[in-house]
Amino acid sequence: DDWDKYFQTIARTSSVVAAIFVFFVALIQVSLLNVLTAAVLQRADAMAKPDQDAKAMEETLKERQKAEELRELCESMDQDGSRTITQAEFQKCLESDHARALFMLC
């Protein structure tokens, strides 16, 4: 009813102006709906961001654990303490199921 009295006043002047008025009112309503939707989506995105950060942190921790296990495996392969792994030491290590599983994960 609020818009009707304004529309009736404008409609008396010209049907073209009345059509422009209806278009203007519709445009304003769509724009307002767009702004409200953007605000809701922005808030939802902000709420989801900590979950993404937590996932990234969890992945980083998993990668560090894998790296630590691989480092420990390499240290265990170096049986003579030379800080290098000979082909014989490597071959002997591959006989272990644990070592093969670790190499498959990497």
PDB file of all heavy atoms in Angstrom, residues 42 75 86 88:
ATOM      1  N   GLN A  42      29.249 -13.685   3.175  1.00  0.00           N
ATOM      2  CA  GLN A  42      30.537 -13.254   3.717  1.00  0.00           C
ATOM      3  C   GLN A  42      30.713 -13.776   5.142  1.00  0.00           C
ATOM      4  O   GLN A  42      31.782 -14.240   5.525  1.00  0.00           O
ATOM      5  CB  GLN A  42      30.646 -11.738   3.688  1.00  0.00           C
ATOM      6  CG  GLN A  42      31.999 -11.213   4.111  1.00  0.00           C
ATOM      7  CD  GLN A  42      32.084  -9.704   4.000  1.00  0.00           C
ATOM      8  OE1 GLN A  42      31.074  -9.014   3.935  1.00  0.00           O
ATOM      9  NE2 GLN A  42      33.297  -9.196   3.985  1.00  0.00           N
ATOM     10  N   GLU A  75      68.182 -42.945   9.351  1.00  0.00           N
ATOM     11  CA  GLU A  75      69.183 -43.123  10.413  1.00  0.00           C
ATOM     12  C   GLU A  75      69.353 -44.598  10.763  1.00  0.00           C
ATOM     13  O   GLU A  75      70.471 -45.059  11.017  1.00  0.00           O
ATOM     14  CB  GLU A  75      68.802 -42.321  11.648  1.00  0.00           C
ATOM     15  CG  GLU A  75      69.019 -40.826  11.491  1.00  0.00           C
ATOM     16  CD  GLU A  75      68.574 -40.040  12.723  1.00  0.00           C
ATOM     17  OE1 GLU A  75      68.015 -40.640  13.670  1.00  0.00           O
ATOM     18  OE2 GLU A  75      68.781 -38.818  12.713  1.00  0.00           O
ATOM     19  N   THR A  86      74.652 -46.821   2.042  1.00  0.00           N
ATOM     20  CA  THR A  86      75.206 -47.576   0.915  1.00  0.00           C
ATOM     21  C   THR A  86      74.085 -48.364   0.248  1.00  0.00           C
ATOM     22  O   THR A  86      72.983 -48.529   0.808  1.00  0.00           O
ATOM     23  CB  THR A  86      76.297 -48.550   1.383  1.00  0.00           C
ATOM     24  OG1 THR A  86      75.689 -49.511   2.250  1.00  0.00           O
ATOM     25  CG2 THR A  86      77.421 -47.829   2.103  1.00  0.00           C
ATOM     26  N   ALA A  88      74.009 -51.499  -0.235  1.00  0.00           N
ATOM     27  CA  ALA A  88      73.766 -52.705   0.566  1.00  0.00           C
ATOM     28  C   ALA A  88      72.863 -52.391   1.758  1.00  0.00           C
ATOM     29  O   ALA A  88      71.948 -53.162   2.078  1.00  0.00           O
ATOM     30  CB  ALA A  88      75.096 -53.295   1.041  1.00  0.00           C
TER      31      ALA A  88
END
